[in-house]
Amino acid sequence: MIYKIYHETKFDYAGLVTFSHNIARLKPKDSNTQKLLEYSLKIEPTPYETSEFIDYFENTNNFMLIRESHKNLKVIATSKVERFENEIKKEIDSLKNIKTTVKDLKDRLSSYNPNDVLAKYFLFETESIPMPSKEIKDYALKSFDENRNIIEATSEFMARIFNDFKFVSGFSDITTPIEVIFKEKKGVCQDFAQFAISALRSIGIPTRYISGYIQTIPAEGSEKLFGVDASHAWFSIYVPDFGWVDFDPTNNKIPNEEYIILGYGRDYLDISPLKGVVQSSGNSMLSVKVDVRVLN
């Protein structure tokens, strides 16, 4: 399947911005399940300087320096990505062959193995995903009996989040603490992913944040409107001798060919679509428009 993705981010500033520098992370990854066919980045106003680099997590970062005075900043990323359905189905089918238990995973990670070194980086807390309260840890442990298969346990944990939490747009933002999301049992995909990551790391499971897109299908008889999609987030756990396995608690499913991977990191801040510093006064208003289309 080939997808065309349009992602527009726009800032409207209350005051005149005389200087700004930003980093965009909007270029989808190449992997064994997908290939980036086309990518372009349009920036208004025209930057004084741009550059591209790969960060520690192998995400593409586009740096932009703007010296021209402006009251609006618009960044439009357009991508064409091919998802390999057969390869994805093979990966999902192979999960049935994983015999690793929760205890197996913890025992393996308690000693040194060169293949696990990078995965251990995803065991630690970050600024936006701190180690959680005992209540959150206990919530996770209900699914993770030591003798249980790690895939079965994580699938049940994912389903519990799906059933226990409500998707409520506008309730939270990326600064809303994990504890608030847990107490109120509501939020959006980023919240559910970060809550899951916090809970799983607290019981010793390496877990990373995945950013990307998901194909949305309009109601029967309705036309798909341009720009009404959104970016998406889910989480991934590390299984020794197998690799990373993705789970989407927002939709209670193992991500398939309908998902497009943008990048991954320890948390949202590692793969935020656009971040930067501006020299100005007053507030700013953010608007985002995303469109995901199947080309064939």
Side-chain angles (χ1 to χ4, degrees), residues 132-142 182 198-199 202-204:
S133 62
K134 182 179 182 299
E135 288 75 18
I136 291 179
K137 183 176 180 179
D138 288 345
Y139 180 89
L141 284 172
K142 289 179 181 178
F182 180 63
S198 177
S202 76
I203 62 173

Side-chain angles (χ1 to χ4, degrees), residues 85-98 242 254:
E85 291 180 74
N86 290 337
E87 189 64 35
I88 295 166
K89 289 175 181 176
K90 286 180 184 178
E91 283 199 357
I92 294 175
D93 287 342
S94 67
L95 299 181
K96 302 172 186 176
N97 300 322
I98 294 176
F242 182 87
I254 303 291

